[in-house]
Amino acid sequence: LEFSPKIVGEEGNTVITSVFIKGKGVATGKEFENTAEMRWSFNDAGMVTSYKVNVDTAALESALSSK
């Protein structure tokens, strides 16, 4: 299992990260690799006000599904 984030950019109270994900479906034993883009926005107190993620869900579904 690997979950490796890196900061791609930041502007004001928004941070964009790219995360490499590698793992194996427990039920299927199938391995997968994927990259997700995560966008975090924070208020002045440092609390998260919004979070969005873009990821190829088909790749994850393939590894986790027994089809």
Side-chain angles (χ1 to χ4, degrees):
L1 176 63
E2 183 177 345
F3 187 87
S4 303
K6 67 177 183 175
I7 294 177
V8 175
E10 57 183 285
E11 182 176 322
N13 289 350
T14 301
V15 175
I16 301 169
T17 60
S18 175
V19 181
F20 175 74
I21 305 164
K22 181 178 181 179
K24 185 189 316 187
V26 174
T28 64
K30 295 179 187 175
E31 294 185 359
F32 66 89
E33 292 184 7
N34 210 333
T35 301
E37 179 188 279
M38 299 178 181
R39 180 179 298 261
W40 302 79
S41 295
F42 301 88
N43 63 18
D44 290 337
M47 303 296 290
V48 175
T49 58
S50 120
Y51 168 76
K52 295 181 182 179
V53 62
N54 294 316
V55 65
D56 179 4
T57 55
L60 295 175
E61 181 181 9
S62 175
L64 301 175
S65 173
S66 59
K67 294 180 185 178

